[in-house]
Amino acid sequence: MYYAVRHFTRYRYSRPVWQSVMEVRMHPRSEHMQRCFTFQLSVSPRARIFAYSDHLGNHVHHFDIPASHGHLTIVADALIEVDPPINLPATLGVEAWQELDEMIEREDYWDMLRPSHFARPSPELDELAKEFGAHYRDGRDPLELLLLLNKSVYNSFQYKKQSTSVDSPIEDALRSRQGVCQDFAHIMIALIRNLRIPCRYVSGYLYHDTSHLDRSAEGATHAWLEALLPGLGWIGFDPTNNLLAGERHIRTAIGRDYADEIGRAHV
């Protein structure tokens, strides 16, 4: 599937500001089943834009506007191709837990296993894990357990826009049982890491069409997660919509959680 994506962001200030320093992660990644053919970033007022790749392979653009201005507009255009996902097996078998532990011992997945700023343990999270029957490794294999968590978060939480903010801790959503895609991704990441499965946050876009009844908002950015499974690699789970990440999911950046990927602005 081919996609043409335009990401439009506008800041309006109540009074002129003297300087803006901005860092954004809007350039879709090219790896696995996704390829970004073209990408263009423009800003107004005009500025010289610099780019680099961070330690996770995300494309980062940054710029400085050192003059007085009352607004800032950022427009990102990209052309992307996304292939259909691989077919997952019905089960990995209980021996997959040992294979996963051996993978963790051989390679460095420490950042995606330990608690992070937004995906961290709490008494509320422990209660949720017990409610879902996912507070320890049991007779189910890792894939079975992840599919259960994906469905359980979807069924147990109401999607409600503006019920939380970008810097809300997961406890807010855990107590109210409502939130948005960012909250659901962080909750599931924290649950998965407690089971010693490497897990990472993914930001991007979800293509909406009439054949899918998605809860996430059309025309907005989206968030989901990827977990590492033996023999399969990084597999995407979308607890907001109870989906496996597939041909409609367009990846722009990965990180431990939202704190790694937020566009950082200083005015």
Side-chain angles (χ1 to χ4, degrees):
M1 182 73 74
Y2 288 89
Y3 298 98
V5 177
R6 167 161 284 196
H7 187 146
F8 184 94
T9 305
R10 173 172 287 171
Y11 297 90
R12 295 185 179 92
Y13 309 120
S14 58
R15 55 191 174 86
V17 298
W18 289 102
Q19 184 174 29
S20 295
V21 179
M22 181 71 73
E23 185 175 278
V24 300
R25 289 165 171 81
M26 295 179 171
H27 188 154
R29 295 172 66 97
S30 289
E31 61 182 353
H32 306 313
M33 63 183 192
Q34 177 177 296
R35 290 164 295 283
C36 181
F37 297 117
T38 63
F39 177 79
Q40 183 175 354
L41 185 71
S42 60
V43 300
S44 177
R46 294 182 63 182
R48 187 175 180 183
I49 302 173
F50 300 88
Y52 70 93
S53 294
D54 66 16
H55 70 290
L56 293 170
N58 299 315
H59 300 288
V60 186
H61 292 81
H62 61 101
F63 57 88
D64 176 16
I65 300 175
S68 175
H69 54 285
H71 75 277
L72 172 60
T73 301
I74 306 169
V75 181
D77 289 288
L79 177 64
I80 308 113
E81 181 184 22
V82 183
D83 295 332
I86 62 171
N87 292 321
L88 296 182
T91 180
L92 297 180
V94 292
E95 64 275 7
W97 287 113
Q98 182 177 345
E99 295 174 26
L100 181 62
D101 289 337
E102 291 171 355
M103 288 172 59
I104 292 171
E105 289 297 322
R106 288 195 307 267
E107 302 179 45
D108 182 13
Y109 296 110
W110 177 243
D111 276 350
M112 304 305 171
L113 280 168
R114 64 180 180 177
S116 54
H117 182 79
F118 286 110
R120 60 176 189 248
S122 68
E124 293 88 347
L125 188 77
D126 291 342
E127 288 302 314
L128 186 71
K130 292 175 183 176
E131 176 186 329
F132 290 168
H135 53 297
Y136 66 96
R137 295 178 174 184
D138 56 15
R140 291 166 292 195
D141 72 67
L143 178 57
E144 267 187 287
L145 200 48
L146 292 175
L147 290 171
L148 169 67
L149 287 175
N150 204 43
K151 183 177 182 180
S152 297
V153 172
Y154 173 81
N155 287 333
S156 301
F157 289 82
Q158 178 188 2
Y159 181 88
K160 187 175 182 181
K161 290 188 288 186
Q162 299 182 341
S163 57
T164 57
S165 61
V166 294
D167 58 354
S168 295
I170 60 173
E171 288 76 23
D172 289 357
L174 287 168
R175 293 177 189 129
S176 66
R177 290 298 176 107
Q178 60 187 23
V180 294
C181 57
Q182 175 183 315
D183 304 303
F184 306 150
H186 285 150
I187 289 168
M188 189 165 166
I189 287 171
L191 290 168
I192 292 171
R193 288 178 182 164
N194 280 349
L195 297 167
R196 282 195 53 77
I197 301 175
C199 192
R200 62 194 187 189
Y201 183 91
V202 185
S203 63
Y205 312 99
L206 176 66
Y207 174 68
H208 292 254
D209 58 29
T210 56
S211 62
H212 297 87
L213 299 176
D214 302 310
R215 294 197 304 181
S216 50
E218 185 174 4
T221 55
H222 191 46
W224 60 99
L225 60 107
E226 291 176 341
L228 185 68
L229 292 172
L232 299 175
W234 292 99
I235 300 298
F237 297 85
D238 181 352
T240 302
N241 300 300
N242 191 25
L243 295 172
L244 289 170
E247 201 172 6
R248 296 192 296 130
H249 291 78
I250 302 167
R251 304 160 76 249
T252 56
I254 60 173
R256 293 167 297 176
D257 60 24
Y258 176 75
D260 280 352
E261 302 186 14
I262 184 171
R264 290 182 283 277
H266 305 282
V267 177

